[in-house]
Amino acid sequence: MTVQDQDTGLSEFVQQWEQWRDDHEQALLDPHGFLAVTSLRWLDEEPTRFPDAPGAWSTGEEGVVVELDDGEELTVDGVPVRGRYGFGVIAERAGVNAVAGDAVIEVAKRGGYDIVRPRHPENALRTGHTRTPAFPPDRRWVREGRYLPFEKPRAVTVGAAVEGLQHVYDAPGEIEFEIDGGTHRLTAFNGRSPGSLQVLFTDATSGVSTYAANRTLSVGAPGEQGAVVLDFNRASNLPCAYTDLATCPLPPAENRLPVAVEAGEKIPHERLGDGH
C-alpha cells in the first residue's frame, strides 16, 4: 500500500466517522427526541393532571387510562380521542405515543412502572443544545473481536439511571477483544437490527472526560467464527447523559473496563454547564 493509499483510507475513515457524528446529532435533535422531554411522571391509581400534558392520568389492572376534559383531545394511532381513553396494559420497554398539538405524550412501561413522558419541541434543553464533544477519530480504537454466544440467552439484571429502578435484558453472549496486551470480555445485548449486538460499558475515562454512568456501542452481526469489529470511535452517550428524565440502563459489573477508552463521545455540554 502506498502512502497515497494510506492517506486516502484515513480520509475515508474520518469522513465516515464525521457522517456518523452528523447523523447522531440529527437524531438527538429530533423534535420529539429525549432533549424534548419536559417531565417524567410515574403513574398510580389516583388520576393526576400534569401541566405539560392534557388529561388526568392513572394506571391499574386494566393499564394506563387518561380522562380528558371538554376541549381536550389526543390523537392515538391517527385517531382523535376524547373523554376517557384506555391505553391497555403496556409491555415492559414498550410504549405508545399520543399527539397533543405539537407535543407527543409518551406512555410507556419502564422497570415495571407505567410512566408518562411529555415531549415538547420548544423545550429549552433541545433548543439550546450544543454539539456533543468527542475525541478525534483514531484507528487504534477499531478493535477486532470475537463473539462468544451462550448456550442459551441469560437474563441479566442491571441498574438504571433512576435510583431504585432495575432493567432485565436477555444477553445472547459475550464479546472478547484485546487492547494494550490485555484481553477483555463484555456482556452483549441484542442490537436494534437483526443479528446485531449492543454493549453498555464504562472505562477509566468515565466521570473524567466521558459520562460517568455509561456509554453504548453498537456492533454489527458476527461474521464467520464469531468475528466482530468494535469501533469505539462510535461509542455514544445514552439519553441520561443529557437529562435526568431518562431511565437508561447501567452496564453490568463485568463491563467496567479498566483501560481508558479515549474514543467516542465525551460528557455533553449540558452536563458540564458551560453552555458552549
Side-chain angles (χ1 to χ4, degrees):
M1 179 181 291
T2 67
V3 172
Q4 184 176 4
D5 290 337
Q6 291 176 339
D7 290 343
T8 300
L10 178 60
S11 176
E12 291 178 352
F13 170 72
V14 172
Q15 288 176 4
Q16 291 172 0
W17 177 81
E18 289 176 342
Q19 184 62 59
W20 169 80
R21 286 266 288 153
D22 289 343
D23 293 344
H24 191 66
E25 283 291 313
Q26 185 174 358
L28 188 63
L29 286 170
D30 184 279
H32 299 117
F34 265 92
L35 296 185
V37 173
T38 52
S39 68
L40 171 58
R41 310 292 185 174
W42 302 88
L43 304 181
D44 56 28
E45 295 182 351
E46 182 67 27
T48 306
R49 298 189 69 89
F50 309 119
D52 50 354
W57 297 80
S58 62
T59 188
E61 291 183 359
E62 297 180 358
V64 176
V65 172
V66 62
E67 299 174 11
L68 298 162
D69 285 348
D70 291 342
E72 292 184 321
E73 179 181 283
L74 291 171
T75 300
V76 182
D77 293 330
V79 179
V81 298
R82 303 177 185 87
R84 179 183 174 88
Y85 180 81
F87 289 86
V89 176
I90 297 175
E92 180 63 33
R93 290 194 293 278
V96 177
N97 287 335
V99 178
D102 65 351
V104 163
I105 314 302
E106 177 193 10
V107 185
K109 179 167 288 182
R110 297 293 183 268
Y113 299 92
D114 288 322
I115 64 171
V116 165
R117 196 158 37 187
R119 300 169 182 240
H120 292 260
E122 70 275 14
N123 188 35
L125 188 66
R126 176 180 176 272
T127 59
H129 173 67
T130 301
R131 190 177 178 87
T132 305
F135 292 97
D138 186 339
R139 278 181 165 163
R140 170 177 179 258
W141 292 108
V142 181
R143 312 302 303 178
E144 294 182 355
R146 185 164 63 106
Y147 173 60
L148 305 171
F150 299 139
E151 289 187 8
K152 61 180 181 178
R154 299 177 184 175
V156 177
T157 301
V158 298
V162 175
E163 187 175 356
L165 194 68
Q166 290 185 325
H167 297 283
V168 180
Y169 295 95
D170 284 336
E174 298 174 310
I175 294 176
E176 182 179 83
F177 70 101
E178 294 184 1
I179 193 163
D180 293 341
T183 300
H184 307 280
R185 283 191 181 185
L186 297 172
T187 294
F189 300 115
N190 292 312
R192 292 187 176 182
S193 58
S196 68
L197 302 167
Q198 181 184 30
V199 294
L200 301 171
F201 72 96
T202 57
D203 63 276
T205 69
S206 300
V208 181
S209 56
T210 64
Y211 184 58
N214 51 27
R215 284 194 291 167
T216 182
L217 181 65
S218 296
V219 180
E224 294 184 6
Q225 299 182 340
V228 293
V229 174
L230 298 91
D231 186 353
F232 285 101
N233 294 288
R234 302 191 182 198
S236 58
N237 292 320
L238 289 171
C240 57
Y242 301 89
T243 174
D244 293 333
L245 305 177
T247 61
C248 303
L250 303 180
E254 63 272 18
N255 284 21
R256 299 168 186 170
L257 295 171
V259 298
V261 180
E262 295 178 322
E265 291 188 329
K266 297 182 179 182
I267 299 173
H269 293 294
E270 287 84 349
R271 289 296 185 186
L272 294 172
D274 56 16
H276 297 285

